[in-house]
Amino acid sequence: MKPAPKKNLRVDNLGEFGLIRQLQGVIGPARGSVVVGIGDDCAVMRGGHPDKYLLYTCDPVVEGVHYRRSDPPRRIGWKAMARNLSDIAAMGGKPNWAVVSIGLRRDTRAGWVKELYAGLRAAARKFDCQIVGGDTTHVKHEQFVVVALVGEVERTRMTSRDGARVGDSILVTGKLGGSRRGKHLTFTPRVNEARWLVGNFPVHAMIDLSDGLFSDLQRLVEASRPGTAFEIHAAEIPIARAARGSLTAALRDGEDFELLFTIDPREVTALRKKWARRFALELTEIGRVVRSRRKVTIITVNGSRKPLAPAGYDHFATS
Ligand code: ADP
Ligand code: MG
């Protein structure tokens, strides 16, 4: 006999992935004008424009989870906007309009809120995006900022998580790890780089690194055709200075907000050349898309192949 399903599992037993999968069941499949529903960096819809898709994303920042109470409000605002801009970038899109909802304790200074908005606006303005509304509520304990962002992307350039092809090269922008030591509040979302990439090269699949390279590789694999797998060279992973030489930190720390994408290996030489002329940011080839049952394999410095145990950032994991 099959064991009875446990009705009252806690969210930390389910994990973030498990919970979202259950929610997906409640919401039902995407239909009508929805091109991509749950499962990518943004939802993708057919709007009024015949050549473009609308992109829609919504990420919160919560006091004590995504920032500390003592962090400068301008940086908190920057981060709240930039996380969302990063998800638009991951689809190859251009961010256009944002609404912002905030939860404030009653004794919060008006000056703090104005600084928060200066940060939100600075990040939005950098990419020609406008804040067009929102909502305000009071909270009893932790404050929060929720940004919802609408962007657009040319239909032919839209880059989802599910397009990785066996044989593709896997590339990553910037350097990874140690973001919690400061960069997580000041990072630049890779909107310009993503727009340039999708405008100049056929990018097959793309994701922004929000939960750590390993965890986000897993997401890309999960979204890919069955049998598609990734092989990553440990020696190639670009480690940020803040990660202090730790490969583990580069693999597992969250909030890098760099781009991870796959492209035909024959494009890589031209891409590197053109990229170097356009951007100072690092661009590194870290591995290949292969056909394998083992989803993510890491090739160590001495050439041995090891599976990576799943353990990126999960909002409900307790360890
Ligand atoms: P990201 O980190 O890029 O914002 P995730 O990988 O965390 O995206 O989320 C995976 C998918 O789950 C996304 O398509 C997102 O819209 C969806 N999702 C996450 N939380 C919820 C929720 N509470 N309700 C509905 N969809 C959700
Ligand atoms: Mg994302």
Side-chain angles (χ1 to χ4, degrees):
M1 215 171 72
K2 267 202 332 211
K6 287 185 196 142
K7 283 238 171 69
N8 274 318
L9 274 181
R10 287 164 40 142
V11 291
D12 59 354
N13 297 136
L14 275 171
E16 194 178 334
F17 287 148
L19 179 67
I20 293 173
R21 213 168 304 133
Q22 291 210 347
L23 299 180
Q24 208 164 0
V26 179
I27 296 167
R31 56 192 170 77
S33 54
V34 182
V35 181
V36 180
I38 291 179
D40 218 305
D41 292 296
C42 293
V44 183
M45 284 86 54
R46 278 181 286 271
H49 200 295
D51 304 325
K52 290 182 180 175
Y53 289 130
L54 285 173
L55 302 171
Y56 198 3
T57 185
C58 175
D59 269 23
V61 297
V62 178
E63 183 184 292
V65 179
H66 302 95
Y67 67 89
R68 284 190 296 249
R69 193 164 171 166
S70 58
D71 284 329
R74 194 179 282 248
R75 292 188 168 192
I76 299 167
W78 176 278
K79 176 173 186 175
M81 184 61 68
R83 289 168 63 87
N84 286 275
L85 293 166
S86 180
D87 275 328
I88 299 280
M91 309 300 293
K94 151 87 184 72
N96 289 342
W97 308 284
V99 287
V100 182
S101 285
I102 51 176
L104 303 172
R105 282 181 294 274
R106 293 183 197 276
D107 61 358
T108 294
R109 307 274 166 212
W112 188 95
V113 187
K114 278 166 90 172
E115 276 294 297
L116 177 81
Y117 268 71
L120 284 159
R121 180 164 180 274
R125 280 270 295 233
K126 187 172 169 69
F127 302 103
D128 193 27
C129 176
Q130 285 184 70
I131 300 171
V132 293
D135 199 10
T136 308
T137 180
H138 81 271
V139 294
K140 295 203 170 114
H141 304 288
E142 281 81 11
Q143 302 199 130
F144 65 82
V145 185
V146 180
V147 173
L149 229 167
V150 176
E152 285 181 312
V153 64
E154 300 78 6
R155 292 189 181 190
T156 54
R157 294 181 184 175
M158 195 268 283
T159 319
S160 53
R161 289 181 184 176
D162 65 5
R165 299 181 200 165
V166 172
D168 275 0
S169 294
I170 305 168
L171 288 96
V172 69
T173 64
K175 293 187 173 180
L176 310 180
S179 157
R180 293 263 161 172
R181 294 212 171 88
K183 199 187 112 201
H184 76 107
L185 289 171
T186 58
F187 69 92
T188 302
R190 303 304 184 195
V191 177
N192 294 340
E193 292 80 359
R195 291 294 292 155
W196 179 89
L197 268 175
V198 301
N200 290 282
F201 290 90
V203 176
H204 291 164
M206 187 151 64
I207 187 171
D208 68 319
L209 296 178
S210 53
D211 295 348
L213 176 64
F214 176 67
S215 177
D216 291 323
L217 275 169
Q218 207 78 29
R219 287 180 173 177
L220 219 50
V221 171
E222 301 284 352
S224 308
R225 226 166 295 156
T228 312
F230 294 157
E231 278 192 359
I232 303 298
H233 292 269
E236 303 301 329
I237 294 172
I239 303 175
R241 198 180 311 166
R244 297 176 182 162
S246 163
L247 178 65
T248 308
L251 282 167
R252 304 209 185 277
D253 289 356
E255 309 210 311
D256 294 307
F257 296 107
E258 296 293 348
L259 297 171
L260 177 75
F261 60 95
T262 82
I263 191 167
D264 190 304
R266 288 167 295 191
E267 303 278 1
V268 172
T269 309
L271 168 59
R272 281 182 183 293
K273 230 185 191 162
K274 282 196 177 176
W275 177 279
R277 262 186 257 142
R278 188 78 168 49
F279 303 109
L281 187 68
E282 302 79 6
L283 179 67
T284 315
E285 184 174 0
I286 58 169
R288 282 293 175 101
V289 181
V290 296
R291 199 184 305 280
S292 169
R293 271 198 306 218
R294 187 194 274 171
K295 289 180 176 170
V296 182
T297 298
I298 188 143
I299 303 170
T300 62
V301 181
N302 58 29
S304 59
R305 292 174 136 72
K306 289 186 178 162
L308 265 179
Y313 192 82
D314 181 317
H315 264 280
F316 301 115
T318 42
S319 59

